[in-house]
Amino acid sequence: MANPVAQAGREARQRHGWWRSNRFLILRRSSQLLILLMFLSGPLWGTWILRGNYSASLLLETIPLTDPLMMLESLLAGHWPAWLVWVGAAVVLVYGLIGNRVFCGWVCPLNPVADLAAWLRRKLGLRQSASLPRSLRYGILIAVLVGSVVSGTLLWEWVNPVALMGRGLIHGTGEGALGWLKGLVAAFGAGIWLIVALFLFDLLVVEHGWCGHLCPVGALYGVIGSQGVVQISAERRENCTRCMDCLHVCPEPQILREPLLLQKGTPRVANETCIACGRCIDVCAENVFEIKTKFHYSGAKK
């Protein structure tokens, strides 16, 4: 029998304790905070660990990191990137190949905003959503790339909320609490209303609306990591009690239908839309899910 949406994860907390039922959530928040602090280490403490922003940065003044969508836009707009940009894109491509949309779940600064909206939806019982096809994000990705060709500009970067959120957090520093708050307001500028609009869209209009339906950055990472090595697997799916807690919290619940509910084929959640957030592992009282590599042979019942 399905559990109430607002109580998703309660059985896991009662059975396994608070840490084990929240470990991947805490690890993801730690990862996101650590990366932000690496950006802030220069302006705050004078030691640059990451210089730049979420679109293009330099790790330890040596290793470049480049948003692959920004580089594609640059190429299509007729601007040949410098060699450092190519190297940075190659580095990002490697970790994209390792773990599907790991960037979306473990790095993206907008992810906590989307998660907060989803959490509020569950607590407030706001389950009625407008309907949008999840394939829309791929249409937007194509439109962005075609638009860059036509306009000769990096079209998406004018409105990219992921880059906007990162720039606001990185450059919004100041002395003292009041100075820090003023710095944030100045760094975000009018762009803060775009972040607020996306939060309200997720909360009131479409569940996981931005990340799950519209974001072209996530769409491209999904394409890159479609054959990612690290994958979630419903390894002990025969233990599933249909409590639905994993589907309540998963940003892409449709990908659990075949391997878990229908129990067809491989138990691997081998879908390019999985962001490998691990929340399904956290909230499952029956320990159905595990993290495996794609080379792992599963003996799960079919």
Side-chain angles (χ1 to χ4, degrees):
M1 181 177 176
N3 291 331
V5 175
Q7 296 178 7
R10 190 176 69 168
E11 283 187 18
R13 287 193 297 276
Q14 291 173 340
R15 189 173 300 182
H16 303 305
W18 183 85
W19 160 250
R20 190 171 166 186
S21 58
N22 289 283
R23 54 185 165 168
F24 282 98
L25 177 61
I26 295 169
L27 289 172
R28 284 197 303 123
R29 292 291 177 262
S30 300
S31 168
Q32 292 157 349
L33 180 61
L34 178 62
I35 291 168
L36 177 60
L37 289 175
M38 288 164 70
F39 278 118
L40 292 175
S41 63
L44 290 180
W45 305 299
T47 302
W48 291 96
I49 299 177
L50 268 175
R51 187 190 290 270
N53 53 50
Y54 286 85
S55 297
S57 58
L58 199 59
L59 174 63
L60 299 174
E61 307 287 358
T62 305
I63 303 172
L65 300 167
T66 306
D67 173 10
L69 177 56
M70 190 183 73
M71 198 188 95
L72 270 179
E73 290 177 87
S74 180
L75 276 172
L76 294 172
H79 308 296
W80 189 258
W83 69 270
L84 205 60
V85 176
W86 285 94
V87 175
V91 172
V92 173
L93 184 64
V94 168
Y95 84 62
L97 290 172
I98 293 173
N100 289 2
R101 291 170 59 194
V102 170
F103 174 86
C104 300
W106 294 75
V107 179
C108 180
L110 205 53
N111 176 263
V113 177
D115 280 357
L116 176 60
W119 179 81
L120 278 175
R121 282 185 72 95
R122 292 195 297 274
K123 294 304 177 187
L124 298 175
L126 302 176
R127 298 294 291 178
Q128 295 299 320
S129 297
S131 179
L132 281 178
R134 290 183 181 270
S135 58
L136 184 57
R137 54 189 159 197
Y138 299 106
I140 294 175
L141 173 61
I142 294 171
V144 166
L145 297 178
V146 172
S148 295
V149 175
V150 174
S151 67
T153 67
L154 279 63
L155 191 62
W156 180 245
E157 304 315 307
W158 288 94
V159 295
N160 185 352
V162 177
L164 168 67
M165 188 77 179
R167 285 196 300 270
L169 293 172
I170 293 168
H171 299 297
T173 57
E175 292 187 7
L178 185 58
W180 176 75
L181 186 59
K182 288 180 178 177
L184 279 180
V185 171
F188 275 101
I192 191 64
W193 296 112
L194 175 60
I195 306 300
V196 172
L198 292 179
F199 171 77
L200 294 176
F201 179 68
D202 272 21
L203 177 64
L204 302 174
V205 183
V206 178
E207 187 171 1
H208 300 296
W210 169 250
C211 298
H213 298 76
L214 302 176
C215 180
V217 179
L220 182 59
Y221 274 110
V223 173
I224 293 171
S226 60
Q227 299 301 318
V229 174
V230 179
Q231 299 173 339
I232 303 291
S233 178
E235 203 64 21
R236 286 184 287 275
R237 58 187 177 185
E238 68 274 13
N239 295 340
C240 178
T241 60
R242 303 295 194 271
C243 72
M244 309 298 276
D245 280 4
C246 55
L247 278 87
H248 292 330
V249 301
C250 180
E252 306 277 355
Q254 77 283 355
I255 64 178
L256 298 176
R257 180 177 172 78
E258 189 164 306
L260 180 66
L261 297 185
L262 301 181
Q263 301 197 359
K264 288 184 177 178
T266 173
R268 291 200 306 269
V269 186
N271 191 293
E272 72 275 8
T273 57
C274 178
I275 67 172
C277 66
R279 279 301 280 161
C280 55
I281 302 176
D282 278 345
V283 302
C284 182
E286 309 299 331
N287 294 324
V288 168
F289 298 97
E290 291 182 10
I291 294 179
K292 297 290 184 182
T293 71
K294 65 183 298 182
F295 308 111
H296 169 75
Y297 170 75
S298 175
K301 295 180 180 177
K302 297 182 179 180

